[in-house]
Amino acid sequence: MHRAAGGFGGLRINSRLLIPVPFDDPADDYTVLIGDWYTKSHKVLAGILDAGRSIGNPAGVLMNGLSDDPPLFTMEAGKTYRYRICNVGLKLSLNFRIQGHLMKLVEMDGSHTVQNDYESLDVHVGQCLSVLVTANQEPKDYYMVASTRFTKYMRTATGVARYAGSKVPPSPELPAGPVGWAWSFNQWRSFRWNLTASAARPNPQGSYHYGSINITRTIKLASSVGLVNGKRRFGLNGVSHVDSPTPLKLAEYYGISGKVFKYDSIGDEPPASGASITVAPNVLNATYRDYIEIILENPERSIQCYHLDGYSFFAAGMGHGKWTPASRRTYNLLDAVSRHTIQVYPRSWSAIMLTFDNAGMWSLRSELWERHYLGQQLYVSVVSPARSLRDEYNMPDNTLLCGDVVGLPKPPSYV
């Protein structure tokens, strides 16, 4: 719950010098952290969730920890600046816009994108993106605006971007935000991977033809909410995850997973609607290097957002209603953006595709914090059969041990 108390910040990762970036170096590089804000302390919020209740609606929205003045950033007329925008909130999607300025989208979750201009951008919980903004307007102050989306109420934060030397305050008339989820869905469809640019590797992003790889497994995950022993819980395919006293990866590494959790307590298809929720560690087995399609279904009336640790995936498709195999005809199999966090609109689905080639125990979870805290997550176990240092390192010697692995002999080294 530290995030609710401001325990977050930006970690900026720059491209290696040998990898060209598909835009000129900006005059400066700014980080904009936007998110909803609760006046209750993180301990009180945790207590509410532990009692099985909802934390309710946030009191407001913050931008870099503030809700208004003083100026956050300074721009010189005629120069172009990079803004890295992240939604670090607990619950709400936000729309970001800058008074009088267009934003050229250049990056999302570490992938370079086709460079389209936008007046405003929806940023869902846990997502980050980069835009280029050129200071080409009258030299004065301008408001940056972050406002809530998909809510019956409006919460807004503003911050000032100042042209160097300006003594003219920003116009009090804030640019209006979009309305409705259909606008947001159509904006998502406009996002495209830049196939000629390089990202983490020297080869172009488009050299990885994800759309031509045969799918070896399809996993459909549907969220659910219900009461367990009178307390509110959230689940995936009928199981609400709870952490075990022995961390899952430790149990697997030391060969005692059978004492701590059960693999595949959920199936690849969700149970019938209205099925009861079971509280247990939720661990899926995935075969190393399999190419898997995951369908995230949201039968509820509010937007959801998911993050997968350890991987980037291709957000190949979205649609309203329930997913069927025929939905694959709507997939983008050429230039979907490779990213690690994806939204699922109300009563809709999102489809992601990836190769599970990173050995480990990885969390797939709701980024909406009360859902995550109350069980809407699972872990994907990916084990390399080779036990090779090429695939996974040995556990460091100074790792702290707890639970049932304390006192056990150390497993044999990977080779």
Side-chain angles (χ1 to χ4, degrees):
M1 298 301 298
H2 289 169
R3 192 161 80 178
F8 54 79
L11 177 63
R12 184 182 299 171
I13 301 175
N14 298 308
S15 296
R16 290 179 289 166
L17 293 178
L18 64 91
I19 298 177
V21 175
F23 50 86
D24 293 335
D25 288 342
D28 211 334
D29 197 325
Y30 297 137
T31 297
V32 187
L33 304 180
I34 56 177
D36 49 35
W37 170 59
Y38 288 79
T39 55
K40 295 181 177 70
S41 76
H42 66 289
K43 291 183 179 180
V44 171
L45 291 174
I48 292 171
L49 294 176
D50 289 337
R53 305 196 311 272
S54 171
I55 59 175
N57 298 326
V61 174
L62 298 181
M63 185 181 299
N64 285 12
L66 304 170
S67 60
D68 208 333
D69 300 334
L72 293 176
F73 308 114
T74 299
M75 301 190 293
E76 293 186 25
K79 293 186 177 180
T80 298
Y81 296 81
R82 180 174 183 169
Y83 286 76
R84 303 177 191 245
I85 306 154
C86 294
N87 185 336
V88 296
L90 298 183
K91 192 169 187 175
L92 298 181
S93 297
L94 300 173
N95 180 269
F96 182 83
R97 49 207 184 271
I98 302 178
Q99 208 171 38
H101 292 74
L102 290 175
M103 300 178 290
K104 185 182 294 294
L105 182 69
V106 294
E107 174 266 333
M108 306 180 84
D109 289 352
S111 287
H112 294 305
T113 61
V114 172
Q115 297 178 13
N116 295 322
D117 290 329
Y118 297 89
E119 292 181 351
S120 72
L121 285 159
D122 278 354
V123 189
H124 306 283
V125 180
Q127 294 182 351
C128 292
L129 51 86
S130 292
V131 298
L132 297 180
V133 178
T134 299
N136 56 8
Q137 300 298 309
E138 177 188 348
K140 62 174 190 173
D141 292 0
Y142 292 88
Y143 276 128
M144 300 175 290
V145 183
S147 59
T148 52
R149 293 283 275 129
F150 321 116
T151 57
K152 294 180 180 179
Y153 54 89
M154 179 62 68
R155 303 283 188 270
T156 301
T158 58
V160 172
R162 170 167 291 174
Y163 277 57
S166 166
K167 298 187 184 303
V168 181
S171 166
E173 186 176 341
L174 300 181
V179 177
W181 70 267
W183 182 96
S184 185
F185 175 76
N186 287 330
Q187 184 176 81
W188 173 81
R189 294 181 65 178
S190 73
F191 299 150
R192 291 288 186 267
W193 213 26
N194 188 331
L195 299 181
T196 60
S198 302
R201 299 173 180 84
N203 51 306
Q205 292 178 152
S207 62
Y208 187 80
H209 302 288
Y210 69 92
S212 61
I213 303 173
N214 290 328
I215 297 169
T216 56
R217 180 182 178 188
T218 297
I219 303 171
K220 283 175 66 177
L221 299 173
S223 65
S224 58
V225 57
L227 296 179
V228 178
N229 297 324
K231 294 184 177 181
R232 186 181 180 92
R233 296 291 302 188
F234 296 94
L236 288 171
N237 284 13
V239 173
S240 181
H241 175 80
V242 62
D243 290 327
S244 58
T246 304
L248 302 177
K249 179 59 180 177
L250 280 180
E252 186 174 74
Y253 188 75
Y254 276 82
I256 62 164
S257 54
K259 287 184 61 179
V260 176
F261 64 89
K262 178 184 176 182
Y263 289 106
D264 297 324
S265 56
I266 63 173
D268 287 358
E269 291 279 338
S273 177
S276 60
I277 293 177
T278 301
V279 179
N282 197 356
V283 183
L284 276 179
N285 244 329
T287 302
Y288 184 60
R289 290 184 175 167
D290 266 7
Y291 190 66
I292 295 179
E293 172 189 49
I294 300 176
I295 312 301
L296 300 165
E297 287 195 341
N298 177 11
E300 302 176 53
R301 291 180 296 175
S302 58
I303 192 168
Q304 299 198 39
C305 210
Y306 289 89
H307 171 82
L308 177 60
D309 279 349
Y311 291 91
S312 289
F313 49 71
F314 293 96
M318 286 185 185
H320 191 58
K322 286 186 173 292
W323 181 92
T324 68
S327 303
R328 294 191 181 108
R329 292 199 292 265
T330 68
Y331 283 7
N332 176 358
L333 297 179
L334 175 64
D335 57 0
V337 178
S338 174
R339 56 189 315 177
H340 53 66
T341 306
I342 191 66
Q343 72 273 18
V344 191
Y345 292 102
R347 292 174 176 164
S348 300
W349 56 268
S350 294
I352 64 175
M353 306 163 78
L354 71 153
T355 300
F356 278 92
D357 56 0
N358 189 11
M361 180 80 73
W362 304 108
S363 168
L364 172 62
R365 62 180 178 270
S366 172
E367 280 291 274
L368 310 187
W369 215 246
E370 64 181 332
R371 288 178 170 270
H372 173 200
Y373 192 95
L374 295 179
Q376 193 170 318
Q377 70 165 325
L378 56 78
Y379 282 83
V380 182
S381 170
V382 184
V383 176
S384 168
R387 288 191 59 83
S388 168
L389 289 171
R390 176 198 63 195
D391 304 325
E392 188 172 10
Y393 292 145
N394 292 312
M395 184 173 291
D397 292 335
N398 62 349
T399 298
L400 297 175
L401 302 181
C402 61
D404 291 336
V405 303
V406 174
L408 293 182
K410 200 168 185 178
S413 173
Y414 292 144
V415 294

